[in-house]
Amino acid sequence: MKLTGERPIEGSTPDSLLALHEAGYREVEARLGTGIVLDVGSGLGDATSTMAGPGRFVIGIDYDPATAVSAQHEHGGADSMGFAAMDGGRIAVADHSVDFVCSSHVIEHFTQPERHVAELARVVSDDGTVFVLCPNAPADFENPFHVYDFEPPQLESLLSLYFDDVTVLGLEGDEALHADFATRRASGEKLLKLDPLGIRKRLPHKTYVWAYERVLPVVYKFLGSGKTGIGSGLDASHFFMSDVVGRETPVLFAIARRPRPRVH
């Protein structure tokens, strides 16, 4: 899989971002019981596979068919796990048929995020739980793949349209993690000064994404590992859950229960 900035890739993505995703799945897995688990945006399935456990059947879905096929070949051989290609805004799963749903760093990619949330509420059982993880807007870096960035009140408000019980927590980082983020942010801001007029944002979105995909590997190579955070050694142990979400908290971790009845 090529580096685009959209998917975490071992050896190409900063270690802190790999750790961020790993820590998120760790916290989801710790809150799972038995039943059917749906992971929306499963990618190659490495993180999805960590949610396997006794009494669980895990289904990973990804919008890209080739990626879903690769995940199935790598992780889907067991009777307790499978992968398929589906749109997170139109999930081919029966109403209220899933016990747990994980949507990790997916919602920010939707031009209509309410459609995604509506689908999460539709597929989860009445007594099930949905986990939604996404970047905390004030702490996020510029990324053309991110259509909507959420702050805690915005994410809670959107989820509350479809769920009666919503809690938004923070996936926080320690001092070493924040130092890594600060270094990478400073490098990114230095590069952005090369476009003082913001021409990149005036381009058609598809053109901006196309350019970003091709420039990012070159930038990482130019900056070197010291400024990109690749090979820093940071891992999931540098993240922890917090009831307090500050402006520098990297990730929002929402827990939604009791889906509201839908009006057809």
Side-chain angles (χ1 to χ4, degrees):
M1 183 183 296
K2 70 177 181 178
L3 174 67
T4 65
E6 180 184 14
R7 299 182 188 272
I9 303 174
E10 188 77 36
S12 298
T13 301
D15 289 12
S16 57
L17 294 186
L18 294 173
L20 179 152
H21 285 271
E22 180 184 346
Y25 275 90
R26 176 195 67 199
E27 296 299 332
V28 170
E29 195 281 330
R31 291 163 173 78
L32 296 178
T34 58
I36 300 175
V37 181
L38 179 67
D39 184 25
V40 184
S42 54
L44 291 173
D46 295 338
T48 307
S49 65
T50 65
M51 297 193 290
R56 295 179 196 153
F57 182 78
V58 182
I59 304 169
I61 65 173
D62 195 273
Y63 74 95
D64 180 57
T67 299
V69 169
S70 295
Q72 178 65 23
H73 285 318
E74 182 68 24
H75 300 286
D79 293 337
S80 60
M81 187 173 301
F83 294 85
M86 296 185 197
D87 182 348
R90 295 184 63 185
I91 302 173
V93 172
D95 294 0
H96 309 305
S97 61
V98 175
D99 300 291
F100 301 94
V101 184
C102 173
S103 170
S104 177
H105 295 271
V106 173
I107 191 172
E108 66 270 20
H109 297 278
F110 279 90
T111 55
Q112 295 178 302
E114 68 280 2
R115 288 183 55 188
H116 176 56
V117 177
E119 281 292 270
L120 303 182
R122 179 185 66 79
V123 302
V124 74
S125 62
D126 289 338
D127 58 351
T129 304
V130 170
F131 304 96
V132 177
L133 289 74
C134 68
N136 180 28
D140 197 20
F141 295 172
E142 181 174 320
N143 186 331
F145 292 106
H146 294 181
V147 182
Y148 280 103
D149 287 326
F150 292 88
E151 295 189 39
Q154 297 166 336
L155 183 60
E156 182 176 1
S157 176
L158 176 56
L159 292 174
S160 294
L161 293 175
Y162 299 92
F163 297 89
D164 282 328
D165 182 3
V166 177
T167 302
V168 178
L169 306 172
L171 184 59
E172 187 56 271
D174 62 13
E175 291 184 4
L177 185 284
H178 280 292
D180 176 89
F181 269 50
T183 297
R184 292 194 298 110
R185 182 181 294 278
S187 298
E189 290 175 347
K190 191 174 182 179
L191 289 171
L192 292 179
K193 289 181 180 179
L194 298 176
D195 181 25
L197 300 179
I199 295 175
R200 66 192 182 282
K201 294 187 177 181
R202 301 179 190 177
L203 297 172
H205 186 253
K206 288 185 178 180
T207 303
Y208 181 21
V209 170
W210 181 90
Y212 185 90
E213 290 179 333
R214 284 151 183 81
V215 169
L216 185 64
V218 177
V219 169
Y220 275 6
K221 185 176 181 179
F222 172 76
L223 291 176
S225 60
K227 293 184 179 180
T228 61
I230 299 172
S232 68
L234 292 171
D235 58 27
S237 66
H238 291 269
F239 287 91
F240 58 93
M241 293 297 295
S242 175
D243 293 334
V244 179
V245 181
R247 292 189 59 81
E248 295 185 356
T249 301
V251 177
L252 303 181
F253 188 104
I255 304 171
R257 299 186 177 94
R258 303 209 308 271
R260 294 176 181 269
R262 297 185 69 184
V263 178
H264 296 279

